[in-house]
Amino acid sequence: MLKENIVNGVQNAPHRSLFHALGLTEEEQSRPLIGIVSSYNEIVPGHMNIDKIVNAVKLGVAMAGGTPIVFPAIAVCDGIAMGHTGMKYSLVTRDLIADSTEAMAMAHGFDGLVMVPNCDKNVPGLLMAAARVNIPTVFVSGGPMLAGKVEGQKTSLSSMFEAVGAYSAGKISEEKLKEYECKTCPTCGSCSGMYTANSMNCLTEALGMGLRGNGTIPAVYSARIELAKHAGMAVMDMVKKNIRPRDIMTQTALMNALTVDMALGCSTNSMLHLPAIAHECGVELNLDIANEISAKTPNLCHLAPAGRTYMEDLEEAGGVYAVMNELSKKGLINRDCMTVTGKTIGENISGCDNLNPEVIRSIDNPYSETGGIAVLKGNLAPEGSVVKRSAVLPEMLVHEGPARVFDCEEDAQAAINAGKIVAGDVVVIRYEGPKGGPGMREMLNPTSAIMGMGLGNSVALITDGRFSGATRGACVGHITPEAASGGVIGVVEEGDIISINIPENTIQLKVEESVLAERMKNFVPKQKELSGYLKRYAALVSGGASGAILN
């Protein structure tokens, strides 16, 4: 592409003059030009080390005979954005990232790309861009954070948010809260549990778009520098062999990723991102397929927040490839899918043994016979809703209780902090969906407060918004249609009985059909005054059940 459109021929002499302005020699111009998409910034802990990763990728590309050129991508820290207006700008960046990367790659005629993402929307945004541009592309993430440690117990960001709830309930002192604050996030990297960033980096491996260890080698390990060099070499091999993202991200590969998602117990946000990535690949991936995969896929891992193991433990146990090898023992993984290595999934995972059955359960001894995520439907969510089943206490898998209704996260948080939510309640937070938020904010503050106050075994929370991967408990998100689009969640009234049955994949508002019909007939969704990018986003975005893609 580069040689044909930019470098070769008399007509491209002006282009070559601008390459000389960059200091590129004729020798460099004659080699494949590899764009390195750097997500480095100084505000996101998962991205502060990416400059080192990028430099290693550059070395790898150069060693393999290519010319590396770096350009940027943005990233938002969901933790820092949590609980305020900033969270409205998190999910929306996924499309900004995809659009801007597509624009840079197509405008400058790169022969290949190496994507260097790490955090929540940054990874799926770049996977979407890779599918659109469809030139040889490899991913290498910045890597996960090491777990913290308080009183000899490993901790992660979810521990920190729950500590705030415990403090509010008078269960821990201010001094103990300060200790959590100073020790929970001890290194750079994506937060150390199986939250959204780590989920997507692991699923990048499962898709075949990243090398082994992409999702699990800790950010501070020198092995990640080596991985980055190998990623630079790998893209050069892909250029020679003309292996492209849509050769890799096929429907079968996406089914593999969804299967691994269920086995790992990934963030519910994967149910937004995988359909959006599939859409860019020309593949339909709906929520009904998710339940079909979940029904036959055992849950093999309980990483934080579902359990007490962390990303470093998964790496030591054999990583994503070991999980895939376990799944392969029962024919749950398609081994024929192509990958960025130029080899198939089957060739890649061969011999990748499970080194710690306490971290990765064997296929014959799973945590459950069904996957870590469930899609619930019913009159309250006719198009679907999502819950992280593997992080729900057994006594909350079936729950029925009165609705406590709030039209925004802040009002719900205030009620929880004031002790107004009691055992048995179902907290309803609406007008937080893709359109209604807009931006589909994560509800980590209220869910963590509920857990920290000791109500996790008796209170459920439902929302047309979404959850951080750090959320645990009976928390049902992505309720579609959302309130702003005229969904039933918009007419739920205080005290209405809501029934949640996760094993049966149902969520019901127990109101007489005639009463519900009358409410819906008279329902006029609330509208917010919007401006700027959020106004444009709200006008274009689809519902959560279809991945919150832009139409």
Side-chain angles (χ1 to χ4, degrees), residues 123-139:
V123 183
L126 290 179
L127 283 164
M128 290 162 67
R132 287 185 199 173
V133 175
N134 201 35
I135 60 175
T137 303
V138 177
F139 277 67

Side-chain angles (χ1 to χ4, degrees), residues 143-200:
M145 185 184 291
L146 293 177
K149 191 168 284 188
V150 175
E151 295 181 340
Q153 296 293 319
K154 287 184 177 182
T155 59
S156 59
L157 187 63
S158 54
S159 313
M160 184 69 250
F161 277 90
E162 290 180 19
V164 173
Y167 172 75
S168 299
K171 295 188 171 189
I172 63 171
S173 66
E174 186 174 353
E175 290 75 17
K176 180 58 65 178
L177 181 65
K178 184 69 175 179
E179 184 180 359
Y180 271 96
E181 180 183 329
C182 294
K183 294 181 177 179
T184 292
C185 298
T187 72
C188 62
S190 47
C191 297
S192 57
M194 187 52 78
Y195 309 149
T196 307
N198 291 327
S199 294
M200 294 310 302

